[in-house]
Amino acid sequence: MIFAPLRLLKRVFLPRSLMGRVFGVFAATMLLLLVAGLGMFYRYQYLQHIEETQDNALMLVEAVIQPIEESVVIGDYDTVKRTLGKMLVKSPFNRAQFLEVGGGAISLEAQDSQHAAPPDWFTALIVERFYDVNRVITVGGKDYGVMRLSFDVTKLAAQLWQLIIETAAVASVLASASLLMMRVLLRRWLDRLGGLRAFEHDVAAGLVTAEAPLHDDAPLEIQEAILAVNRGTASLRVQYGERIELLMNSLVQHKSAMDQAAIVSEIDVDGRIAVVNDQFIANSGLSRDAVVGQPLAHLTIPGSAPAWAPGPNVWKGDVMIAGRDRTLQWHRTIVPMFDAGGTVRYICIDIDITERKAFERTILATARRENLIAELSRVALTATDLHHVFREAIQAAAGGLDAPSAALFALEPAPIGRSLVIRAGSGALASATGFALDCPLGPMPQQEPADLLRPLFATVRAAYQVRSSVDACVICTESPFGVLGVFSDDARQFGADDRNFLRSIAHILATTIERHTAQQRLTYLAQYDALTDLPNRRYLSESLDLAIGAAAAQARRTGVMFIDLDHFKKVNDMLGHGVGDQLLVLATKRLQACARPGDLVARLGGDEFALILPDVVEDGDVGALCTSIIDALAAPFLLQGQQLFVSASIGIARYPEDGASAEALLKSADTAMYAAKHNGRGNFQFFSAAMHDATTQRIKLEAELHQALERREFLLHYQPKLDLVTGQTSGFEALLRWNHPQRGLVPPLEFISVLEDTGLIIAVGEWVVEEVCRQLGAWRADGFPIVPVAINLSARQLEQDDLAATIERIVTASGIAPVLLEFELTESMLMVNPDAAVAILGRIKALGMRLSIDDFGTGYSSLAYLKRFPLDALKIDRTFVRDLPHDSDDAAITRAVINLAHSLNLKVVAEGVENLEQLCELKHFGCDEIQGYYVDRPLVPARCFARGHGEKPAVGQRDVALLV
């Protein structure tokens, strides 16, 4: 790329002739030497002239300085002025000044000299070299003034410029003379090569002994070149004779080979066939007698090629020949043969190109079809109107098969069965749109209509006077769409390529139909829920914006409800998502039945629904509607042979008091719905500012909990468990507490659920295990009698596949015996995914730790699953203990649970024991351990240590000891 410009300059400026190149080199050399020489000469003259001028100026100053000093001393300033004036004459100065110390001045200007003005740039160079001459006049140590002399730089520049012009003119004359002389000599020397042109003419005229002439005054190199040409010519003469002989032999062999390989015939002057070779007879299928003597034009089909007439020029062209069995296509060349008297005969050479032309036609047809397919594909990708694609497809099908008519039949349901309806047609079927054919109820074929649909197209051929057809089925992924047919007016046989082309068109149609259907589905799903066919959140937001706009324009109120199905997650977890989806569909129907005319029911996702109330007159009307919705959803749902019950929590927000935009109203309704859940579920709440404050407090609480673990604000209290047999402390339950820096101890009910919702329970749960292990190690080091400590696991922790590995890592690092740890889980946690729970608990049990079910009796556990869990203990929930011994039902349930646990070899722990009567009843039932305020409240670690070292035992412990 770098040398490309150089090659271009070489091609443009390099002379073609030898003389031009030699002369160009000489001229360039002369120019280079001339420029270099003149440059050096000018530089020398420039510096010399400046130096001499400055020296002369200084001498002149020294010459006048004494008279001026003498005149200044006596005050004769006229003499000073005359001296300065004389000094300016024929000097390099143009101004002379005497500046007195007292402020007086004498100034003289030289007369302008007549010189040709030099260029400004040259004058600027001279100005840079000359400066004013200043000489202080001092006599006897006293300063009288300054003599200042200014150089006439214009005159000095004009003198130097005149020198440059004169020397450049002389150098140009000498250089021109040198170039002229060199050109004359070169022309004289190189003209000797012109003799080679005469030699060329002699050789072209056939003079065998021709030689190029030599000249004695020619340069030695030119003489050697002419001698080399003469020697080469002599050698060529010998080779020429040998090759002529070889050429004659080759021509004979070529004629024989042509007779074998090509179709050759000889034509006389009148254009009649005189002789044909065997290949002519074999390829045409005609006899020699039928061909010889016939005009050549009689064997050519008229109009297939321009007519040939005898003449002096070579003729070439493609012709069609009427053979015996078929029409042939030959490429023909007719060559006239001349002698001294003129044309004697013509040689006609034919090459059979029948198969090649057929192949070319096939290639062209294929290319045209591919172009049609490509163009249809482009239209199918960009068009949004499916009917436009249908029209383009039938046009492409008819054009690609050179058929006059085509039609697309769509399979559509009919009053009885189904029918094929023409959706688009061309040619004779252009006006047949809507024409229907009854279709049998058999399966649609996957490739061709075959025997099932053939009779239907016979009806089309008879109705629209077409004689032949070819078809292809349009098969979409989910179901067949119809049939694409092409029809011809003549009895035509469609080949395999025709069918493949039509299938390609049908495939494009099927893909386009599928894409169009998918786009319609996506457009629908962008605004509607796929399960319930209700408007989705996006549609709801847009509709709510419109409702707010209408309400604002008409100065009225509007509102929105947030409806959440309570405990729906349990249905999904216990019965599967399939049952959950069925319940959502049934709930949707009940919501739609409750909605008033004009209301809009939407599904936000999961178990959340919304209801837009375009016109809110009274809050009481809205409350009545909420009550009807709650009652409707509270009715049992019958699914899979069992009744399911759910309730609904509803939050209502109104425009304009609860928000001025759809986003604000939805947020307010959501807040109100959560308030309804916190108020016991199964009720409705109107939004209020206090709810917003609660939400803000919840957000603040989440932020503080994120920092609590880092700031070490969590701590553990330990509630003892009492063995009813020995009366001794059998263990502790570790209970999480939060020591807030401003609020102090925060109740667990206030923050445990937030830890669960935010996922912080995972990190906090690991900290609890680490802290329990650390505390057990500390108690052991202090000599405390070690008893097991129970730790509550959350549902989020149980979902971790690596829960057992995490526990093992922490316990191993602490050095605590695994048997000192017990993990408590609730029934509902275990029943979310029982199989996964069995696997995780099995790994924990294998580590040597104990497992127990907490709050037994409040969930939905199955006895079959209870047998599978590797449990050690069962804790009876405080709701069954609270009313003992007075409530006979609670007593019966508690006794049954204890007996059930013992039958499964499980220890039983009763929670919430608060008085002696409860203790006695439980001991009577055979309960193993108790836990509650009657035994002791949750204790800080130091108090636990005190209990083991002589501190007075709690009341419950004393009572148990007495009972024992």
Side-chain angles (χ1 to χ4, degrees), residues 150-171:
S150 300
F151 285 98
D152 190 353
V153 291
T154 302
K155 181 174 70 174
L156 295 175
Q159 292 171 354
L160 280 175
W161 184 252
Q162 184 65 29
L163 176 63
I164 291 173
I165 296 299
E166 291 173 355
T167 54
V170 173

Side-chain angles (χ1 to χ4, degrees), residues 324-441:
R324 182 176 60 187
D325 301 326
R326 57 180 179 146
T327 299
L328 305 173
Q329 199 161 0
W330 290 356
H331 178 71
R332 173 166 291 172
T333 303
I334 301 177
V335 183
M337 304 298 290
F338 299 96
D339 59 7
T343 302
V344 174
R345 65 190 186 281
Y346 299 89
I347 299 299
C348 178
I349 303 172
D350 292 313
I351 299 175
D352 191 350
I353 58 173
T354 304
E355 293 183 358
R356 191 188 79 186
K357 287 295 184 180
F359 180 73
E360 289 177 357
R361 287 192 295 271
T362 302
I363 291 296
L364 290 175
T366 302
R368 184 164 62 91
R369 290 178 178 181
E370 290 178 351
N371 288 336
L372 289 171
I373 290 174
E375 178 62 19
L376 179 61
S377 299
R378 184 192 65 79
V379 172
L381 285 174
T382 58
T384 56
D385 184 6
L386 196 59
H387 294 284
H388 176 64
V389 179
F390 291 164
R391 292 191 296 270
E392 292 292 329
I394 60 173
Q395 294 291 344
L401 297 181
D402 294 323
S405 304
L408 175 64
F409 297 83
L411 189 64
E412 297 181 358
I416 300 178
R418 57 187 178 181
S419 61
L420 283 174
V421 180
I422 296 180
R423 296 285 294 274
S426 67
L429 299 174
S431 60
T433 303
F435 184 84
L437 302 172
D438 292 334
C439 181
L441 290 176

Side-chain angles (χ1 to χ4, degrees), residues 747-898:
L749 291 178
E750 186 174 334
F751 70 89
I752 293 294
S753 61
V754 180
L755 290 177
E756 287 274 2
D757 294 341
T758 59
L760 287 173
I761 195 66
I762 302 298
V764 174
E766 291 186 16
W767 175 85
V768 169
V769 178
E770 293 175 353
E771 178 63 16
V772 168
C773 291
R774 187 199 64 78
Q775 188 62 56
L776 284 170
W779 283 337
R780 181 180 60 187
D782 292 338
F784 186 77
I786 302 300
V787 292
V789 176
I791 300 172
N792 290 285
L793 287 179
S794 70
R796 296 289 289 270
Q797 288 177 283
L798 195 62
E799 294 173 357
Q800 291 183 281
D801 294 334
D802 61 343
L803 175 62
T806 301
I807 294 173
E808 182 182 13
R809 172 178 56 79
I810 296 173
V811 174
T812 302
S814 68
I816 295 301
V819 71
L820 294 177
L821 292 182
E822 178 179 344
F823 291 98
E824 297 183 0
L825 310 96
T826 63
E827 289 179 89
S828 57
M829 288 167 52
L830 295 175
M831 297 309 297
V832 170
N833 190 346
D835 295 330
V838 168
I840 294 175
L841 296 182
R843 290 195 290 269
I844 296 176
K845 183 69 175 178
L847 297 176
M849 301 164 192
R850 293 164 53 85
L851 298 170
S852 62
I853 289 185
D854 195 10
D855 301 333
F856 184 79
T858 61
Y860 302 92
S861 59
S862 165
L863 293 179
Y865 277 111
L866 195 61
K867 284 175 51 181
R868 294 177 56 191
F869 294 131
L871 301 173
D872 296 288
L874 181 151
K875 298 184 73 172
I876 301 175
D877 187 69
R878 66 182 66 249
T879 56
F880 300 108
V881 176
R882 182 174 54 216
D883 295 328
L884 291 179
H886 309 293
D887 191 317
S888 59
D889 292 336
D890 287 344
I893 293 173
T894 302
R895 184 192 298 273
V897 170
I898 293 174

Side-chain angles (χ1 to χ4, degrees), residues 427-653:
L429 299 174
S431 60
T433 303
F435 184 84
L437 302 172
D438 292 334
C439 181
L441 290 176
M444 280 289 289
Q446 294 297 310
Q447 290 298 334
E448 298 182 12
D451 296 336
L452 182 65
L453 303 179
R454 294 290 180 199
L456 304 182
F457 294 108
T459 303
V460 175
R461 289 195 293 269
Y464 292 94
Q465 298 179 355
V466 293
R467 301 180 60 187
S468 59
S469 64
V470 61
D471 329 278
C473 281
V474 181
I475 305 296
C476 298
T477 302
E478 297 181 356
S479 61
F481 176 79
V483 179
L484 177 63
V486 174
F487 303 91
S488 178
D489 296 338
D490 53 9
R492 174 180 170 184
Q493 293 294 326
F494 291 95
D497 291 341
D498 299 332
R499 297 184 183 279
N500 290 333
F501 168 72
L502 197 61
R503 288 169 185 162
S504 298
I505 299 292
H507 178 70
I508 293 173
L509 277 175
T511 303
T512 305
I513 294 168
E514 291 174 356
R515 182 172 59 84
H516 184 75
T517 303
Q519 288 176 344
Q520 289 182 327
R521 180 62 177 168
L522 287 175
T523 302
Y524 177 81
L525 292 178
Q527 294 187 322
Y528 289 88
D529 175 58
L531 176 64
T532 62
D533 290 328
L534 290 177
N536 60 13
R537 181 182 293 272
R538 177 181 177 183
Y539 191 101
L540 171 73
S541 180
E542 294 174 354
S543 300
L544 186 54
D545 276 329
L546 294 176
I548 291 173
Q554 300 174 16
R556 55 182 173 81
R557 303 166 74 209
T558 187
V560 62
M561 290 184 185
F562 248 55
I563 305 167
D564 185 85
L565 302 183
D566 300 323
H567 304 299
F568 176 77
K569 185 176 183 299
K570 293 183 179 179
V571 176
N572 271 341
D573 294 341
M574 300 178 62
L575 300 178
H577 290 277
V579 175
D581 289 346
Q582 295 178 36
L583 191 148
L584 289 174
V585 173
L586 294 177
T588 297
K589 294 179 180 179
R590 294 185 185 183
L591 285 174
Q592 290 174 325
C594 294
R596 303 168 304 180
D599 294 346
L600 175 67
V601 181
R603 184 188 177 203
L604 303 180
D607 58 351
E608 291 185 342
F609 296 86
L611 183 64
I612 295 179
L613 309 171
D615 189 9
V616 176
V617 179
E618 297 290 341
D619 289 348
D621 297 337
V622 177
L625 177 59
C626 291
T627 301
S628 66
I629 292 175
I630 292 172
D631 293 342
L633 294 176
F637 292 88
L638 183 61
L639 294 172
Q640 292 189 348
Q642 60 180 318
Q643 289 185 340
L644 297 179
F645 293 88
V646 296
S647 59
S649 298
I650 303 176
I652 308 104

